[in-house]
Amino acid sequence: MAGAALRVAGRQLSQHSGSGVPILLRQALETRASPGHTPGCVTFVLNDHSMAFTGDALLIRGCGRTDFQQGCAKTLYHSVHEKIFTLPGDCLIYPAHDYRGLTVSTVEEERTLNPRLTLSCEEFVKVMDNLNLPKPQQIDFAVPANMRCGIQTPPS
């Protein structure tokens, strides 16, 4: 679907990835490209920089894996350090999910306490390349669907 135009209320929002396109709600959300977990990851930041919705790029005391869906550890490291860790320290971070039930952190907490992202880029890449995580159970179904923006193809 890359390059497809999204229309809402008769208005075209984007013909591109969406990076840098403001989304207007009661407050504006800035979109920041934060690839690495996947090439299409974005972080949404409130215009006053009080909150950021980081998807799977930055998790609480962790980050998204980079061993499938065209992920890249070096890209993820730079995305987080350049697009998220540059926000104010008290900016609230809301990840897409947390397996321990945590829902919010701050930029400062993650800059100082995230065990992976406090490493140098070289050390981070080594850690990510050696996680040896099991293949997710639904990956063969989920990745093709993700590549088509969730549109399912009925079985033949």
Side-chain angles (χ1 to χ4, degrees), residues 78-102:
H78 288 291
S79 289
V80 171
H81 281 265
E82 295 168 12
K83 303 295 178 94
I84 301 172
F85 283 178
T86 54
L87 291 165
D90 62 349
C91 176
L92 299 175
I93 299 293
Y94 292 94
H97 59 86
D98 184 276
Y99 296 115
R100 297 159 297 164
L102 303 173

Short mmCIF file of all heavy atoms in Angstrom, two decimals, residues 78-102:
data_model
loop_
_atom_site.label_atom_id
_atom_site.label_comp_id
_atom_site.label_asym_id
_atom_site.label_seq_id
_atom_site.Cartn_x
_atom_site.Cartn_y
_atom_site.Cartn_z
N HIS A 78 19.51 4.24 16.20
CA HIS A 78 19.57 5.65 15.80
C HIS A 78 18.19 6.30 15.84
O HIS A 78 18.07 7.47 16.23
CB HIS A 78 20.22 5.80 14.43
CG HIS A 78 21.70 5.54 14.48
ND1 HIS A 78 22.58 6.39 15.12
CD2 HIS A 78 22.44 4.51 14.01
CE1 HIS A 78 23.81 5.90 15.02
NE2 HIS A 78 23.76 4.77 14.36
N SER A 79 17.16 5.58 15.46
CA SER A 79 15.80 6.13 15.53
C SER A 79 15.44 6.53 16.95
O SER A 79 14.96 7.64 17.19
CB SER A 79 14.78 5.09 15.04
OG SER A 79 14.87 4.89 13.67
N VAL A 80 15.67 5.64 17.91
CA VAL A 80 15.32 5.93 19.29
C VAL A 80 16.15 7.09 19.83
O VAL A 80 15.63 8.03 20.43
CB VAL A 80 15.46 4.68 20.19
CG1 VAL A 80 15.30 5.03 21.65
CG2 VAL A 80 14.44 3.62 19.77
N HIS A 81 17.46 7.05 19.59
CA HIS A 81 18.33 8.10 20.12
C HIS A 81 18.10 9.46 19.47
O HIS A 81 18.21 10.48 20.14
CB HIS A 81 19.80 7.68 20.01
CG HIS A 81 20.20 6.73 21.10
ND1 HIS A 81 20.80 7.15 22.27
CD2 HIS A 81 20.03 5.38 21.23
CE1 HIS A 81 21.00 6.11 23.05
NE2 HIS A 81 20.54 5.03 22.45
N GLU A 82 17.76 9.47 18.19
CA GLU A 82 17.62 10.74 17.47
C GLU A 82 16.19 11.27 17.43
O GLU A 82 15.99 12.49 17.33
CB GLU A 82 18.15 10.58 16.04
CG GLU A 82 19.64 10.30 16.01
CD GLU A 82 20.14 9.85 14.64
OE1 GLU A 82 19.39 9.96 13.64
OE2 GLU A 82 21.29 9.36 14.57
N LYS A 83 15.20 10.39 17.50
CA LYS A 83 13.81 10.83 17.34
C LYS A 83 13.01 10.79 18.64
O LYS A 83 12.00 11.49 18.75
CB LYS A 83 13.09 9.95 16.30
CG LYS A 83 13.74 9.93 14.94
CD LYS A 83 13.71 11.29 14.27
CE LYS A 83 14.39 11.29 12.94
NZ LYS A 83 13.55 11.06 11.81
N ILE A 84 13.42 9.97 19.61
CA ILE A 84 12.66 9.83 20.86
C ILE A 84 13.45 10.37 22.04
O ILE A 84 12.93 11.17 22.82
CB ILE A 84 12.23 8.37 21.08
CG1 ILE A 84 11.38 7.88 19.90
CG2 ILE A 84 11.47 8.23 22.40
CD1 ILE A 84 11.07 6.39 19.91
N PHE A 85 14.70 9.97 22.18
CA PHE A 85 15.50 10.41 23.32
C PHE A 85 15.85 11.90 23.26
O PHE A 85 16.37 12.44 24.23
CB PHE A 85 16.77 9.57 23.46
CG PHE A 85 16.55 8.20 24.06
CD1 PHE A 85 17.61 7.33 24.20
CD2 PHE A 85 15.30 7.78 24.50
CE1 PHE A 85 17.44 6.07 24.77
CE2 PHE A 85 15.11 6.53 25.05
CZ PHE A 85 16.19 5.67 25.19
N THR A 86 15.56 12.56 22.16
CA THR A 86 15.79 14.00 22.06
C THR A 86 14.59 14.80 22.61
O THR A 86 14.68 16.02 22.72
CB THR A 86 16.05 14.41 20.61
OG1 THR A 86 14.97 13.94 19.79
CG2 THR A 86 17.38 13.85 20.11
N LEU A 87 13.52 14.11 22.96
CA LEU A 87 12.36 14.76 23.57
C LEU A 87 12.69 15.13 25.01
O LEU A 87 13.64 14.58 25.60
CB LEU A 87 11.14 13.82 23.53
CG LEU A 87 10.57 13.55 22.14
CD1 LEU A 87 9.64 12.35 22.15
CD2 LEU A 87 9.85 14.80 21.63
N PRO A 88 11.92 16.04 25.62
CA PRO A 88 12.18 16.40 27.03
C PRO A 88 12.13 15.17 27.94
O PRO A 88 11.36 14.23 27.70
CB PRO A 88 11.04 17.37 27.37
CG PRO A 88 10.55 17.88 26.05
CD PRO A 88 10.79 16.78 25.05
N GLY A 89 12.94 15.18 28.98
CA GLY A 89 13.02 14.05 29.89
C GLY A 89 11.70 13.68 30.54
O GLY A 89 11.45 12.50 30.82
N ASP A 90 10.82 14.66 30.76
CA ASP A 90 9.54 14.36 31.42
C ASP A 90 8.44 13.98 30.43
O ASP A 90 7.30 13.75 30.82
CB ASP A 90 9.09 15.53 32.29
CG ASP A 90 8.84 16.82 31.51
OD1 ASP A 90 9.21 16.89 30.31
OD2 ASP A 90 8.28 17.76 32.10
N CYS A 91 8.78 13.86 29.15
CA CYS A 91 7.81 13.42 28.14
C CYS A 91 7.38 11.99 28.46
O CYS A 91 8.22 11.10 28.65
CB CYS A 91 8.44 13.48 26.75
SG CYS A 91 7.38 12.86 25.43
N LEU A 92 6.08 11.77 28.56
CA LEU A 92 5.55 10.44 28.84
C LEU A 92 5.64 9.56 27.61
O LEU A 92 5.31 9.99 26.50
CB LEU A 92 4.10 10.53 29.31
CG LEU A 92 3.87 11.33 30.59
CD1 LEU A 92 2.37 11.44 30.87
CD2 LEU A 92 4.59 10.70 31.77
N ILE A 93 6.10 8.34 27.81
CA ILE A 93 6.26 7.37 26.73
C ILE A 93 5.20 6.29 26.88
O ILE A 93 5.10 5.64 27.92
CB ILE A 93 7.66 6.69 26.82
CG1 ILE A 93 8.77 7.72 26.66
CG2 ILE A 93 7.80 5.55 25.82
CD1 ILE A 93 8.85 8.35 25.31
N TYR A 94 4.41 6.11 25.83
CA TYR A 94 3.39 5.06 25.79
C TYR A 94 3.74 4.08 24.67
O TYR A 94 3.58 4.40 23.50
CB TYR A 94 2.01 5.66 25.54
CG TYR A 94 1.50 6.50 26.70
CD1 TYR A 94 1.71 7.87 26.72
CD2 TYR A 94 0.84 5.91 27.76
CE1 TYR A 94 1.26 8.64 27.78
CE2 TYR A 94 0.38 6.67 28.83
CZ TYR A 94 0.59 8.03 28.82
OH TYR A 94 0.15 8.80 29.86
N PRO A 95 4.24 2.89 25.02
CA PRO A 95 4.57 1.90 23.98
C PRO A 95 3.30 1.21 23.47
O PRO A 95 2.23 1.32 24.08
CB PRO A 95 5.46 0.92 24.72
CG PRO A 95 4.97 0.97 26.13
CD PRO A 95 4.55 2.40 26.36
N ALA A 96 3.45 0.47 22.38
CA ALA A 96 2.32 -0.26 21.81
C ALA A 96 1.81 -1.33 22.77
O ALA A 96 0.62 -1.60 22.84
CB ALA A 96 2.71 -0.89 20.48
N HIS A 97 2.72 -1.95 23.51
CA HIS A 97 2.33 -3.01 24.44
C HIS A 97 3.45 -3.25 25.42
O HIS A 97 4.56 -2.76 25.26
CB HIS A 97 2.00 -4.31 23.69
CG HIS A 97 3.15 -4.82 22.88
ND1 HIS A 97 4.14 -5.62 23.39
CD2 HIS A 97 3.47 -4.61 21.57
CE1 HIS A 97 5.01 -5.90 22.44
NE2 HIS A 97 4.65 -5.29 21.33
N ASP A 98 3.13 -4.01 26.46
CA ASP A 98 4.14 -4.42 27.44
C ASP A 98 3.69 -5.75 28.00
O ASP A 98 2.56 -5.88 28.47
CB ASP A 98 4.28 -3.38 28.56
CG ASP A 98 5.39 -3.76 29.52
OD1 ASP A 98 5.15 -4.57 30.45
OD2 ASP A 98 6.52 -3.29 29.31
N TYR A 99 4.55 -6.74 27.94
CA TYR A 99 4.19 -8.09 28.38
C TYR A 99 4.08 -8.20 29.89
O TYR A 99 3.59 -9.19 30.40
CB TYR A 99 5.19 -9.11 27.83
CG TYR A 99 5.18 -9.18 26.32
CD1 TYR A 99 6.29 -8.80 25.57
CD2 TYR A 99 4.04 -9.59 25.64
CE1 TYR A 99 6.27 -8.85 24.19
CE2 TYR A 99 4.01 -9.65 24.26
CZ TYR A 99 5.13 -9.28 23.54
OH TYR A 99 5.10 -9.32 22.16
N ARG A 100 4.51 -7.17 30.62
CA ARG A 100 4.41 -7.19 32.09
C ARG A 100 3.29 -6.30 32.60
O ARG A 100 3.12 -6.15 33.80
CB ARG A 100 5.74 -6.74 32.70
CG ARG A 100 6.89 -7.70 32.35
CD ARG A 100 8.24 -7.03 32.50
NE ARG A 100 8.29 -5.92 31.53
CZ ARG A 100 9.16 -4.95 31.56
NH1 ARG A 100 10.05 -4.90 32.50
NH2 ARG A 100 9.15 -3.99 30.66
N GLY A 101 2.55 -5.68 31.68
CA GLY A 101 1.42 -4.86 32.08
C GLY A 101 1.76 -3.42 32.38
O GLY A 101 0.90 -2.66 32.83
N LEU A 102 3.00 -3.00 32.14
CA LEU A 102 3.38 -1.60 32.34
C LEU A 102 2.81 -0.78 31.18
O LEU A 102 2.76 -1.25 30.05
CB LEU A 102 4.89 -1.47 32.41
CG LEU A 102 5.57 -2.30 33.49
CD1 LEU A 102 7.08 -2.23 33.35
CD2 LEU A 102 5.15 -1.84 34.87
#
